[in-house]
Each structure stands twice: as structure tokens, then as C-alpha cells.
Amino acid sequence: MMTKKTISASRASLILFLCQMITALEVPLDPILLKELSQPPTITQQSPKDYIVDPRENIVIQCEAKGKPPPSFSWTRNGTHFDIDKDARVTVKPNSGTLVINIMNGGKAEAYEGVYQCTARNERGAAISNNIVIRPSRSPLWTKEKVEPKYVREGDPLVLHCSPPVGLPPPIIFWMDNSFQRLPQNERVSQGLNGDLYFSNVKPEDTREDYICYARFNHTQTIQQKQPISVKVFSMDSLNETISANLSDTDFYGAKPLTERRPTLLTPVGSTSNKVELRGNVLLLECIAEGLPTPVIRWIKEGGELPINRTFFENFKKTLKIIEVSEADSGKYKCVARNLLGSTHHTITVTVKAAPYWITAPRNLVLSPGEDGTLICRANGNPKPNISWLTNGVPIAIAPEDPSRKVDGDTIIFSDVQERSSAVYQCNASNEYGYLLANAFVNVLAEPPRILTPANKLYQIIANNPALLDCAFFGSPVPEIEWFKGVKGSILHGDLYVFHDNGTLEIPVAQKDSTGTYTCVARNKLGKVQNEVHLEVKDPTMIIKQPEYKIIQKGGQVSFECTIKHDRTLMPTITWLKDNGELPVDERFIIHKDSLAIMNVTDKDDGTYTCVANTTLDSVSASAILTVVDRPDPPFDLELTDQLERSIQLSWIPGYDNNSPITNFVIEYEDGMREPGVWHYQTEVHGTQTTVQLKLSPYVNYSFRVIAVNEIGRSQPSEASEQYLTKAAKPDENPSGVQGIGSEPDNLVIIWEPLKGFQSNGPGLQYKVSWRQKDVGDEWTSVIVANVSKYIVSGTPTFVPYEIKVQALNDLGYAPEPAEVIGHSGEDLPMVAPGNVQVHIVNSTLAKVHWDPVPLKTVRGHLQGYRIYYWKVQSLSKRRRRHVEKKILTFSGNKTHGMLPGLEPYSSYKLNVRVVNGKGEGPASPDKLFKTPEGVPSSPSFLKISNPTLDSLTLEWGPPTHPNGVLIAYTIKFQPINSTHELGPLIEIRIPANETSLILSNLNYSTRYKFYFYAQTSVGSGSQITEEAVTIMDEGKLAMASRQVDIATQGWFIGLMCAVALLILILLIVCFIRRNKGGKYPVKEKEDAHADPEIQPMKEDDGTFGEYSDAEDHKPLKKGSRTPSDRTVKKEDSDDSLVDYGEGVNGQFNEDGSFIGQYSGKKEKEPAEGNESSEAPSPVNAMNSFV
């Protein structure tokens, strides 16, 4: 049956393991082996050397031992045999050497005081215990004494002696009063190491009658008390009055007057002393001084430093404590007591002695017959200890002779031992401060090899860790160990393995190929034995996706991932920890297979989350920190300080920032007098500030609150501060926004922005409104009003300037003198029209107008500008009048000219000019007639191509909607398009202006043509219109095709043709719909490349040729259709627009003719000129275009 065992990878565990195995080799611990092997006795438990017992309980003196055969026990008392059987009160525990002395039934512990020693013996030798000194504890009472009161003068020193009874062990001393309260101690009053109470100087408050010294005896759990001591402290004056009546010269301390004095030492006495302490103990040095004022104690070590980490100061630095003293701590220690008047010192010479301590304690020896060995016993101490040997409890000098041993000081040398050489040896190292006693046996055995490790033991480890394969063995002589791998493997050796003395085979870095069966062979001269163990090397567990650091806002949710990879034969478990402890029991924590989710995160969820993946062989972990952030907690403890009339200081304590630093604090205020419950912004400060100086206004009942802000948001407001009412004062400021404007020709309306809230600075807010006509020397006229922001002055002249001012006042007085502003009384309509209106024609669509300005006095208001009304009377080319459609342009300021854009060429216009003020328009100037010259025409209204034959097409067209002059001709250009969409040569035909149709002959049959068509005036060519059409096919070829119908008589072919025809019809309908929606012709790019280079429209304003753009480029090519007037193919009559020059009614022109005037949409409607016929695209024509 295989046994599983996990091997740790820790080297520390390896060392511990090997040490245990070495010990097991010397003293085998295997139970079966112990039953079979003889072994000398070994003391396993004993009482302490100095054993103080409670006299009220039974005395138990321990002595336990082991050995084979089991040992027997005997005792000595004070060096002689202690016959247990003769004392009925003494018994021995069964299978033990422990003594039990019954004193609870009338016995006395004092009768059993003495030095006891236990001996454990069997056939292989005898072991002995330490000398155990038994002493009962003692807690004697204080001897009765009469305690006299202590009378002491203020400022003098005082020592209250305790002198406790001598106990065993010594008692613990403390001072208390009658109420069992410890007396307070300080630098002036303190307790010494001897238990006395020292006063460096007394004060009147030291007077009391219950200074009581207590001695606590811990062993017996009793407390003894001294008689109370009475202390009375007198001042110098009262002392002089009572000294003769009550006291003798020796009954009080000191006779000098109360004066300050330099320190003197109360303890120790003199300037030097000596102290001896044992190594390893605690060194306590004490200096207590008296003086006035109270001295301060300082400690130094002459010629060295006080040991770091082992030095402590107690009892207000009066006691120097050094723990674990060693010989290096010997030397001179000086205490210095100092006050304002001087100092004193005391030097203590410390000598550190040492009871014996082990350097090398003897160890048990297991030898086989004929072998050699040594027992070594080395100890040190101060003075150097004496080494003595015993064998089986008897001094070796008088013990039976053994030729195999030789004593050489602290060493016993064994050579060629035999079984009779087995014995227990004792080493005793002693000096005047103590002794050490150690037992070590020599056990001579002849035993064949034994392997103690179970057979077929299974070891499982993780790859890349050390593997330790046990081969615990025993044999005498010590067997040799060899290791093999596999059934027929060779002996293992080399750098890949480490062979330990206890038989363990170590593979420092085990790999997967280290898996297998290993055989351990143990052999000595008495025999040979072997054992097999099995090793399995597993893949390590790894976390391939670790949890990551997360910052989450409170109330959100977060997820930590933890994906692991592991050996397929191991079953891992994943555990989640928070801050190295278990996860909270909370349904918000949801553990999935590879993740941990936390819902509705709270601030308590902040911390470190660890994913731990455990198998039976290894454990891996990965951690991530979760930081929960939130808006800050509100500030608290608002406090108002430095309260002045116009300022106050506000301070607060920030709330917790919830892991997002506070960036700033917002301070708000409430006016409890005017707007209770309404909070206003006051100021804000940086997040590191907690105090701010606030400016205040008079007559406001202030409360403040603070809001903390971080990256997450704003905190809740703090609790409101206490209220602070500022004193009332005169207004600091006057109303703003003062204006004077007239609403009627005979009034002046004075308006202002009233003061708000606490700007009044006090009760009874009013306004003093003053005015006078400018530059006429009038006195100020004033009225005082309240609760208004407007005052109307009636009966004023029309549009004259006034000086105006508005001053605030309240019950405490007036605000500072206000600034004066200039206003005007009401306006009236202008009286005269502009004169000398002249028009200059710039081009066919633009004219410049000049006029003379009106006198400013006739404007009777603020001059806002001039307004031009203009309208088209008729088109000169059509000689028909139309309804007047007036347009308006306004030119701001005192302008004398302006530009009229967007005029129609070859038309007759009228205009007039009016002046404008804030009230309205003045009278119009006489109408001025002007005409615009000819321009280029718009595109023909339509182009229709019909009646296609083999070699001809019929073209029909409509005249341009806007001829913009007298038409002199039409021009048609056309060119063929071949099957690859390439354009052929361009042909041009000029047509008289009175023609509306044309038949083109001598065309190629079954050919597509593209046509370009435009009109001309004397100024130039207009915009073109384009179309495409196709001539029909040759009839002879059609007849040839009709004869090939023999297959067409078949039914399946007829059905197929019907399906094809239906499909073509559907495609034609789709194409027709797409064309009417602006679909793109597939050969557009090639057409663009072959656009007619000769057709370049002229710019209407200067007669130069502009860049040509084919308006048909974005239309599908079609036959027999014209471009509707509302499509992009047709160009309007004028490219100029009022938008290019101005902003409608508010458009304007500069003096150079650029548009700055105002265009008005005000129109008087009349029937439009010309016929803008529209013909819907024909589906038949659309079908023909695909023939």
C-alpha cells in the first residue's frame, strides 16, 4: 500500500528535517526499534535546581527518565540515601521517579528542606538529576514598632523607610494610602529599589497621615502592610512658631531657611560604589538625588556607549536598566544629578561575573564493538569553571576501571569499545556562582542495518523544487547508504544529486523526467537491506491571469479575474481573501469559477484582495488592491473667528476624502434676513486650506456652509455655521445701468438697475433721481423714490440732451456721489427727405446710388441711417409691366451712397431714399428711374428630341426664361458616343433666334448623340442645356433577325422569353425611378473628359469667360426629355444674389460699393413675366433611351 507525502520546497524545512534525522540516528526514535534495542537511562524531566515550594501544598519533586530496560529510581537527601519506605508521607508516582510529599494533613514543609538528587538506573548504566534545593516560601509579618510622625520643613528632602521583613522569595514593595490607591510618583517623589520612598524636596501638599508601605509575597499570594506613617510639612513661618512648643532639635529635618540648593545624592552614598551582576541577568543601577529645584538624572558609561536596544530608563531616569548583560557590559557607570545651582555625580563600577554556561555539552554515543569515539564537555564562566566527570553517578576516579576509556580534561576518549563499555557519563562544570550537570550515555551495540522508512512510500512534488527521498536507517556499525533509480538502474552519483549523512537523497531541482522508482540500499559488516520509494513530479500551479488594481466609485460593481493553470492530476481549489482574512459574509460578494465580483461596492470593501490557488502540493497567490472612491464626506466643526464689521474668518475640519483627494472647498452663505433657506456662492479655496477670510456686507444675517469637491463630485453641504449679523451702514454703491431715453417726443424716461439684496447695506433703501437739461445752465431737479427702477419726466422738448444721475440712500445716509450720464428726451419722425439722388450703373446686375445728407436738426432723433426703396418696373425685352415688388436696403450711420445688388439685366427700375431715426422713417425723396443694360441669357427653357429615324432626329426647344436682352441666335453642338462611351467629333450649327425646332439629317443609324444647346444676346452666350438621343437600327438587320425563329416556336423558349421580358421591364422601371431621383449615369467620367471645350459661359458682370461646369453632369443621360425648370440642369437668369452683398433688411454697403446695407422682404406682388412651362419626363422617351 503506497503512502503519500508532500515534500516542501523550503530550504529551512530541509535543514530542520536533516537535523531531526541526525538526532534519530544517534537516539533511534522508531517505536519498534526502541522495543528491541537496549539503551542506558536518560533523564527527561526534573524539578528546577532552586525549588521554592508553597508550604500550604504537597511538595512534588519531579524525576522522569527513559531507557531499555526501563530504569529504576532512587533518591539522596543532603548527600545521603533517602529511604522513601520509612516515611509514610513520601510516595513515588508509578512508573516514575517523581516524589510526592504529603504535608497537607499535618505535615510541615520546613521538615523537608534540603538538597535532593534522583538516580535512574538500568543494566546499561545510571543517570542522575541536578541537585534540587527544596525551600518553603516565607511571608513573615512586620515586627511591631512605634512609627513617629515626620515633621519636615518645606523644601527639605525626606526618606520614608519601608524595611520589609525578609521573605522567600523577596517581596514586591509598593506604597499606597488608606483607600488602597497608589501614591503618585514623579521626578520629585519616587520609590527606590530597596522599597524606601524618597522626596527630593517636600511641598505642603505632601502632608498626609497615611503613607503605607505594602509587601506582596507572590508565592503565597499574601500582602503584608507596615504601620501608616504621618508626614507634616511646615512652611518656615509656621515652623518658627511651633518649634519650641512641640519639637526637639532632632525631631525635624533641617534647620536652614527655605532656599534653593544644589543636588546631593540620597542613594547611593558617597561618590563611588561597586556592583556585581551575573551574565544573562538584568543589571539595575540607581541614583536618587535631593535638591531644590528637583534635580534631573543623566547616565553615561565611561569610555564607552550604553548598549543599544538593551538599555532602558525607569523611575523617571533614576534607574538604569540593562537586560541580558554580558562581560562586555562591565565598566564604570556614572549618574549625574543636576539642577540650576549645580550638579553632583556617583560612579558605580560594574563587574559582570558568569555562572558556568555550555560551549559544548556532551552528547550520547551509539557505537558498535571495536569502534572509537569521544565525549566532549566544554563550558565557560567567570571565573572559569572546573570540569569533573562521573560515570553512572560515581566520580570517575573511584569508578570501576575500563581499559577502553581515557579521561583528558574535558574529553573522554574511547577506543576499541566492547559491549561492557556501555555506561552513562556525567559532566559537572562548576564555579562559585553555580554549576552545570549533563548526562551522556555510551551505548555499544552490534546491529545489522535496518531501514526505518516505510516501503513503497510515495513522494509527490512540484517541478523545479527540491525532492527529498527518505532512507531513515539504523545499524551498528553505521551502515553505508547507496541509491539506485529504476529496477536495473546503476548507482546514483554526480552533481544532480545530494547524498545526506542521514540517508536522505536530495534532487535539488526535480524535473518531470525525475519521476520514477528509487531504491535505497543500507549495508554494514553485519548485513544488507534495501527499500523502494516512488517519486512523482507534477506541473506547478500558475495564475495565468492575475487580478488587477481597480479604482471603483462607491455603488458601482467590480470584478477581479483569477485564471489558473495546473497539473491535470491535481484538483485545485481557489480561495479569495480580503486583507489576508476571509471574505465578508455578504451576498454582494459573488465567487465565480475564475473571478470574484463585488456588487454595489461600499467604502468598507476597500482593501487588498488575494486569489489563492491551492493543491495538495503547492499554493500560489496573486493580489490586487481595490480602492473605493466617492464624493468626499461633508466638512464639519465650522467655526467663526476674528469677527469684524466687514470680514470674518471661517475654519472647518475636512471630512474623509474617500480615497480621492479634495481639490477645493466651496463656501456658500445664507442671508437669514432676506432669503432664509436660499444659499449663494461666496468663494472657493484650494483643497489644502481649512481656513478662509471672508469679506462681508453690512446689514446681513450671515450663515455659512462648506462643500468639499474632488474628482468624483461634490460632498453634501456641511452643517450651517452659527449666524453672524453685520451692522447696518450707508450704501457703498449706486445703481448701475442708468439711462435716459424718451418713449414719447415730450418725455424723458430715466431707468436704472436697482441694488440687489444686501447691497442696500441697511433698512429703508431709496433712490434720489436727479436731471437737468445739458448746456443750458438749469439747476438739478430731484425726486426720491423707492421700490421702483424707472422714473418718467414729462413735458420735455423733443430730443434734447439731459444730464442724469441716480443716488442710493438708506436710513443711515447716502451712497457716494454718483456719476453723471447723458440721456435724450423722446424722438419724433424726421422732417425732410434726402436730396440730389443719383444712380450710377456698375453692370447689368449692380448699381451705385448717391444722395445728399439731411441736416441733423431735421432728423429729430438718433440718426440710424438711410433707407433705399427700389423696385422693378418692367423687363425691357418683354415690354410687359408686372406688380411692384419693392425691396429695401438700409445703410447705417451718416452714409451718402450705397450699392444695389441683384438687379435683373435689361430692366427698368425706380428707387427713392429716406432718412431713419429711432422713431421711424422720414419722407421719401422723389422716385428716380434707371435702366440696367443687357446681359447673357439663361439656358433655354427646354430641349426636346423626338422622331428618331435611321439618320435623323427632330429637336424642339423653348426660349430662355430670362433672355436678359435681345436674343440674336441659338447654337446647337452635338457629337456621337461609341460603344465604349468615347465621344466623337463635335459639330456646331447656328440657328436664328426666331426658330423653335430643327431636323438633323445625315446621322448614323443606331448611334447615340450628345447635344449642347444655348442662346445668345449681343453680350454673349448663355447657359447651356444638354440632352442625349439614339437613332434607330437598320431594318434589313431587323428582318434577318426575324427569320431566325425556328426555335422560337418551342413552348419552353416562349416561357423563357416572357420571364426575360418581365425581368427587363422591372429593371427599366427601377432605372427610370433612379433617373428621376438624380441617379448617376455610368459613363459620367468619360463624358466629363469629353465635355465641349468651346462652350464657356460669360460672367454677367464683366463679360469675361468663367470656368465651365456642365449642369447635366449629375443627371442620367436620356432621350426625348428636357430638363424641367426646377431641376439643376437649368440655370437661373442671374448668378448675383442680395445675400452676396448684405443681410436682407439689415444688409449694408461700404463706400466702395461692398454690401453693408439692409434688404427687406417687403414686396408688392404682381404676375411673373414669361412662361415657365414644365413637362413631366416621358416614360416612353425613357424606354427609347435604352433601345
Side-chain angles (χ1 to χ4, degrees):
M1 191 74 176
M2 289 187 179
T3 320
K4 292 188 178 180
K5 180 175 181 181
T6 301
I7 302 294
S8 170
S10 168
R11 299 294 299 177
S13 299
L14 168 62
I15 295 171
L16 176 62
F17 175 82
L18 294 178
C19 291
Q20 291 174 341
M21 291 306 295
I22 293 171
T23 303
L25 179 62
E26 295 181 349
V27 183
L29 299 178
D30 184 81
I32 299 176
L33 185 64
L34 289 176
K35 288 181 180 179
E36 299 176 356
L37 296 178
S38 297
Q39 181 176 325
T42 300
I43 300 292
T44 57
Q45 191 172 1
Q46 57 184 317
S47 294
K49 294 177 182 178
D50 191 6
Y51 188 17
I52 299 175
V53 298
D54 190 336
R56 300 167 298 181
E57 299 179 354
N58 291 338
I59 302 173
V60 178
I61 309 175
Q62 290 185 328
C63 181
E64 303 291 342
K66 65 178 181 179
K68 186 66 169 63
S72 60
F73 297 90
S74 61
W75 285 87
T76 62
R77 179 183 175 189
N78 297 329
T80 61
H81 177 67
F82 183 36
D83 193 346
I84 298 171
D85 296 334
K86 291 183 178 181
D87 192 334
R89 294 186 180 277
V90 181
T91 58
V92 179
K93 288 185 177 180
N95 302 317
S96 169
T98 299
L99 293 181
V100 180
I101 303 174
N102 186 356
I103 60 173
M104 298 184 65
N105 296 322
K108 291 185 178 181
E110 291 81 359
Y112 293 93
E113 283 190 66
V115 180
Y116 293 79
Q117 189 174 42
C118 170
T119 301
R121 187 186 308 274
N122 68 8
E123 64 187 25
R124 289 269 170 171
I128 60 175
S129 70
N130 292 322
N131 288 327
I132 303 171
V133 179
I134 302 296
R135 293 184 294 171
S137 64
R138 296 180 178 87
S139 53
L141 298 175
W142 252 288
T143 57
K144 289 190 177 182
E145 60 178 331
K146 183 179 180 181
V147 179
E148 296 291 340
K150 303 291 185 180
Y151 297 93
V152 62
R153 184 174 55 182
E154 180 182 358
D156 284 356
L158 174 64
V159 179
L160 299 182
H161 298 286
C162 180
S163 304
V166 178
L168 188 67
I172 297 173
I173 306 301
F174 51 93
W175 290 80
M176 293 197 298
D177 59 15
N178 278 332
S179 301
F180 297 99
Q181 299 297 316
R182 285 187 178 268
L183 295 176
Q185 298 187 26
N186 49 45
E187 290 183 344
R188 186 178 63 85
V189 182
S190 61
Q191 177 184 315
L193 293 176
N194 62 356
D196 292 346
L197 190 63
Y198 293 86
F199 295 76
S200 294
N201 50 78
V202 295
K203 295 182 178 181
E205 57 262 30
D206 296 328
T207 298
R208 64 189 307 150
E209 297 181 352
D210 56 351
Y211 285 94
I212 305 174
C213 181
Y214 288 86
R216 182 174 66 210
F217 298 89
N218 285 342
H219 216 79
T220 57
Q221 297 182 351
T222 58
I223 296 178
Q224 305 291 353
Q225 143 181 358
K226 186 182 177 74
Q227 290 293 321
I229 302 174
S230 175
V231 173
K232 295 182 180 179
V233 179
F234 289 91
S235 66
M236 189 60 192
D237 293 338
S238 61
L239 184 62
N240 289 334
E241 295 174 0
T242 57
I243 188 171
S244 59
N246 300 303
L247 303 174
S248 66
D249 291 343
T250 59
D251 287 335
F252 63 91
Y253 286 85
K256 297 179 180 180
L258 178 60
T259 57
E260 294 184 343
R261 62 187 181 279
R262 60 183 298 167
T264 59
L265 289 174
L266 297 175
T267 184
V269 179
S271 60
T272 61
S273 60
N274 297 302
K275 174 78 172 180
V276 176
E277 191 55 79
L278 293 182
R279 179 180 182 271
N281 287 355
V282 176
L283 173 64
L284 294 174
L285 304 179
E286 180 182 58
C287 276
I288 301 178
E290 63 90 8
L292 189 67
T294 302
V296 176
I297 305 297
R298 184 170 63 92
W299 290 90
I300 58 174
K301 182 181 181 183
E302 295 184 357
E305 299 290 335
L306 295 174
I308 301 173
N309 300 327
R310 294 190 294 116
T311 301
F312 303 92
F313 297 101
E314 297 179 346
N315 198 21
F316 311 100
K317 292 194 175 180
K318 299 174 186 179
T319 302
L320 171 65
K321 177 180 178 181
I322 302 177
I323 62 174
E324 298 177 0
V325 294
S326 64
E327 289 85 344
D329 295 322
S330 297
K332 293 184 178 182
Y333 293 81
K334 181 187 289 186
C335 69
V336 180
R338 185 184 303 276
N339 67 8
L340 297 176
L341 277 70
S343 64
T344 186
H345 68 273
H346 183 92
T347 301
I348 305 174
T349 301
V350 175
T351 303
V352 178
K353 299 291 185 178
Y357 55 90
W358 290 119
I359 296 176
T360 304
R363 302 179 65 183
N364 296 329
L365 279 179
V366 178
L367 301 174
S368 62
E371 286 188 330
D372 301 335
T374 58
L375 285 179
I376 300 175
C377 176
R378 291 176 183 164
N380 201 358
N382 187 10
K384 187 172 181 62
N386 178 51
I387 303 295
S388 61
W389 289 95
L390 297 86
T391 178
N392 296 327
V394 178
I396 201 165
I398 60 175
E401 290 283 341
D402 185 350
S404 66
R405 72 172 179 242
K406 176 184 177 182
V407 179
D408 183 8
D410 59 8
T411 304
I412 300 179
I413 302 171
F414 297 92
S415 57
D416 193 20
V417 296
Q418 302 300 320
E419 285 197 45
R420 64 177 181 273
S421 301
S422 296
V424 182
Y425 291 84
Q426 290 82 32
C427 172
N428 185 300
S430 61
N431 64 14
E432 59 185 287
Y433 298 106
Y435 74 94
L436 292 174
L437 177 69
N439 291 276
F441 64 69
V442 175
N443 196 14
V444 181
L445 297 173
E447 292 289 333
R450 304 186 189 197
I451 294 179
L452 308 180
T453 299
N456 294 317
K457 190 172 184 178
L458 175 63
Y459 294 89
Q460 293 180 324
I461 65 162
I462 297 298
N464 299 317
N465 285 321
L468 298 173
L469 308 183
D470 287 349
C471 185
F473 65 90
F474 180 76
S476 187
V478 176
E480 293 181 357
I481 302 298
E482 294 177 334
W483 280 94
F484 300 86
K485 182 181 180 183
V487 178
K488 298 181 180 179
S490 58
I491 186 171
L492 298 180
H493 57 79
D495 297 336
L496 297 179
Y497 304 96
V498 177
F499 303 93
H500 294 280
D501 292 340
N502 65 349
T504 297
L505 170 66
E506 177 184 358
I507 306 173
V509 183
Q511 302 296 334
K512 294 286 285 186
D513 57 5
S514 302
T515 298
T517 299
Y518 291 81
T519 303
C520 167
V521 177
R523 59 164 59 89
N524 66 9
K525 62 183 179 181
L526 300 178
K528 168 186 168 184
V529 67
Q530 70 180 39
N531 186 37
E532 289 185 353
V533 294
H534 307 281
L535 174 64
E536 292 181 358
V537 181
K538 308 288 186 180
D539 290 326
T541 305
M542 295 183 294
I543 299 179
I544 58 177
K545 188 161 188 179
Q546 301 184 356
E548 298 178 347
Y549 174 70
K550 297 290 180 69
I551 298 177
I552 192 71
Q553 187 173 349
K554 183 179 177 181
Q557 65 182 53
V558 66
S559 178
F560 292 106
E561 294 188 67
C562 183
T563 305
I564 67 169
K565 179 182 178 183
H566 60 90
D567 192 282
R568 59 184 180 83
T569 63
L570 300 177
M571 295 301 296
T573 59
I574 296 180
T575 305
W576 286 92
L577 305 176
K578 180 181 184 293
D579 297 329
N580 295 322
E582 294 183 358
L583 285 180
V585 180
D586 193 327
E587 61 184 8
R588 297 182 301 106
F589 290 78
I590 303 173
I591 299 177
H592 301 287
K593 177 183 177 183
D594 295 328
S595 65
L596 167 67
I598 308 175
M599 316 301 291
N600 192 22
V601 173
T602 69
D603 49 7
K604 293 182 180 179
D605 299 331
D606 198 275
T608 301
Y609 289 82
T610 304
C611 164
V612 182
N614 290 304
T615 68
T616 54
L617 299 183
D618 65 346
S619 176
V620 291
S621 64
S623 298
I625 296 175
L626 172 63
T627 300
V628 180
V629 297
D630 197 10
R631 299 181 299 172
D633 292 343
F636 57 94
D637 282 357
L638 272 64
E639 183 179 7
L640 298 176
T641 56
D642 297 343
Q643 298 173 354
L644 303 176
E645 290 187 3
R646 294 295 183 99
S647 69
I648 197 168
Q649 180 171 285
L650 173 66
S651 59
W652 62 89
I653 298 176
Y656 180 52
D657 64 6
N658 288 314
N659 295 319
S660 180
I662 296 174
T663 56
N664 57 293
F665 292 100
V666 177
I667 294 89
E668 297 180 339
Y669 72 90
E670 173 198 37
D671 183 358
M673 184 185 305
R674 299 175 183 84
E675 295 180 295
V678 179
W679 291 90
H680 302 276
Y681 174 86
Q682 171 90 6
T683 186
E684 60 184 87
V685 297
H686 192 269
T688 58
Q689 284 187 236
T690 58
T691 301
V692 64
Q693 198 76 20
L694 300 175
K695 293 181 179 180
L696 306 180
S697 295
Y699 199 56
V700 179
N701 192 13
Y702 281 102
S703 292
F704 299 97
R705 70 183 187 184
V706 183
I707 299 171
V709 183
N710 63 9
E711 289 187 356
I712 308 304
R714 295 161 62 102
S715 72
Q716 291 295 319
S718 68
E719 295 290 332
S721 71
E722 59 181 306
Q723 290 187 334
Y724 179 63
L725 178 61
T726 55
K727 294 181 180 180
K730 295 184 294 184
D732 293 326
E733 52 188 310
N734 288 301
S736 60
V738 178
Q739 297 181 54
I741 55 176
S743 60
E744 297 294 338
D746 60 349
N747 75 4
L748 172 66
V749 180
I750 302 173
I751 61 174
W752 62 90
E753 191 72 30
L755 298 183
K756 296 180 180 178
F758 53 74
Q759 290 178 313
S760 65
N761 284 5
L765 177 64
Q766 296 177 299
Y767 301 100
K768 180 181 178 182
V769 183
S770 303
W771 68 93
R772 68 181 178 186
Q773 190 171 338
K774 189 175 185 296
D775 299 331
V776 296
D778 289 350
E779 295 294 328
W780 287 97
T781 303
S782 300
V783 296
I784 294 179
V785 296
N787 301 320
V788 295
S789 60
K790 179 173 70 172
Y791 184 78
I792 301 176
V793 181
S794 302
T796 63
T798 301
F799 195 68
V800 296
Y802 279 85
E803 294 176 324
I804 304 167
K805 57 184 180 180
V806 180
Q807 185 177 24
L809 67 149
N810 62 18
D811 292 350
L812 281 80
Y814 285 86
E817 185 67 22
E820 299 174 7
V821 298
I822 304 298
H824 287 81
S825 57
E827 300 178 76
D828 206 344
L829 293 175
M831 300 173 63
V832 299
N836 193 24
V837 178
Q838 301 292 328
V839 179
H840 172 66
I841 302 300
V842 178
N843 57 38
S844 61
T845 61
L846 181 66
K848 186 173 184 179
V849 182
H850 292 265
W851 62 89
D852 291 339
V854 301
L856 290 179
K857 289 184 178 181
T858 65
V859 176
R860 299 201 294 179
H862 294 286
L863 175 62
Q864 293 188 354
Y866 291 88
R867 187 168 293 161
I868 300 177
Y869 285 75
Y870 66 102
W871 61 95
K872 180 179 176 182
V873 177
Q874 66 178 19
S875 172
L876 298 178
S877 61
K878 300 182 180 180
R879 300 296 180 184
R880 287 198 338 189
R881 291 185 175 273
R882 53 182 289 176
H883 288 301
V884 175
E885 185 178 308
K886 290 187 176 180
K887 299 179 182 179
I888 302 172
L889 284 175
T890 300
F891 300 88
S892 298
N894 195 15
K895 301 293 183 182
T896 60
H897 63 270
M899 304 294 289
L900 299 183
L903 303 177
E904 293 184 11
Y906 205 53
S907 298
S908 177
Y909 281 87
K910 286 185 179 181
L911 64 80
N912 60 50
V913 185
R914 310 176 191 191
V915 67
V916 183
N917 66 10
K919 189 70 173 178
E921 298 175 351
S925 66
D927 290 349
K928 184 73 173 179
L929 179 67
F930 66 97
K931 298 178 180 179
T932 57
E934 285 189 86
V936 296
S938 64
S939 60
S941 56
F942 68 89
L943 175 62
K944 180 179 178 181
I945 304 174
S946 59
N947 302 324
T949 65
L950 285 175
D951 61 352
S952 69
L953 291 168
T954 300
L955 278 66
E956 296 178 279
W957 60 86
T961 304
H962 299 284
N964 294 336
V966 178
L967 296 181
I968 59 174
Y970 291 102
T971 299
I972 183 74
K973 295 182 180 182
F974 60 94
Q975 57 190 147
I977 305 173
N978 64 18
S979 59
T980 61
H981 308 296
E982 293 179 348
L983 298 174
L986 189 66
I987 302 171
E988 179 178 337
I989 301 174
R990 188 176 177 87
I991 306 169
N994 57 352
E995 296 291 338
T996 59
S997 64
L998 176 67
I999 298 176
L1000 290 178
S1001 303
N1002 299 320
L1003 302 178
N1004 296 327
Y1005 66 87
S1006 188
T1007 302
R1008 180 178 294 277
Y1009 289 89
K1010 183 169 185 177
F1011 297 89
Y1012 311 90
F1013 188 65
Y1014 53 91
Q1016 291 173 298
T1017 66
S1018 60
V1019 177
S1021 300
S1023 302
Q1024 69 179 8
I1025 185 171
T1026 63
E1027 267 296 353
E1028 292 186 12
V1030 181
T1031 56
I1032 64 174
M1033 295 181 62
D1034 189 339
E1035 293 180 356
K1037 293 185 178 181
L1038 287 172
M1040 185 182 299
S1042 64
R1043 288 194 293 269
Q1044 299 173 356
V1045 296
D1046 52 332
I1047 192 173
T1049 59
Q1050 304 299 317
W1052 64 269
F1053 183 76
I1054 296 173
L1056 177 61
M1057 290 299 101
C1058 290
V1060 171
L1062 179 61
L1063 180 60
I1064 291 173
L1065 179 61
I1066 293 173
L1067 290 174
L1068 291 176
I1069 293 173
V1070 171
C1071 291
F1072 170 72
I1073 293 173
R1074 290 190 60 192
R1075 184 193 63 182
N1076 281 277
K1077 290 184 178 180
K1080 192 170 184 180
Y1081 188 63
V1083 296
K1084 174 187 180 304
E1085 289 80 3
K1086 291 185 180 290
E1087 293 174 356
D1088 291 343
H1090 297 279
D1092 186 354
E1094 299 180 12
I1095 302 176
Q1096 301 290 339
M1098 296 178 64
K1099 293 185 179 178
E1100 297 179 0
D1101 54 353
D1102 57 6
T1104 60
F1105 286 94
E1107 182 180 359
Y1108 169 71
S1109 174
D1110 186 358
E1112 288 292 314
D1113 281 349
H1114 299 289
K1115 299 294 177 182
L1117 301 176
K1118 55 188 181 291
K1119 174 185 175 183
S1121 67
R1122 63 175 179 85
T1123 305
S1125 60
D1126 58 342
R1127 303 288 291 230
T1128 58
V1129 171
K1130 173 175 143 306
K1131 271 199 147 184
E1132 293 299 330
D1133 54 321
S1134 175
D1135 290 335
D1136 288 328
S1137 170
L1138 292 180
V1139 178
D1140 296 333
Y1141 292 86
E1143 347 175 316
V1145 173
N1146 297 318
Q1148 299 179 5
F1149 287 99
N1150 289 322
E1151 294 183 0
D1152 58 359
S1154 59
F1155 182 67
I1156 58 172
Q1158 297 181 344
Y1159 171 71
S1160 172
K1162 189 186 297 183
K1163 298 180 182 179
E1164 297 178 10
K1165 297 293 183 178
E1166 65 176 16
E1169 293 183 276
N1171 294 321
E1172 296 186 2
S1173 62
S1174 173
E1175 178 181 343
S1178 169
V1180 176
N1181 292 338
M1183 292 283 285
N1184 290 337
S1185 67
F1186 288 91
V1187 176

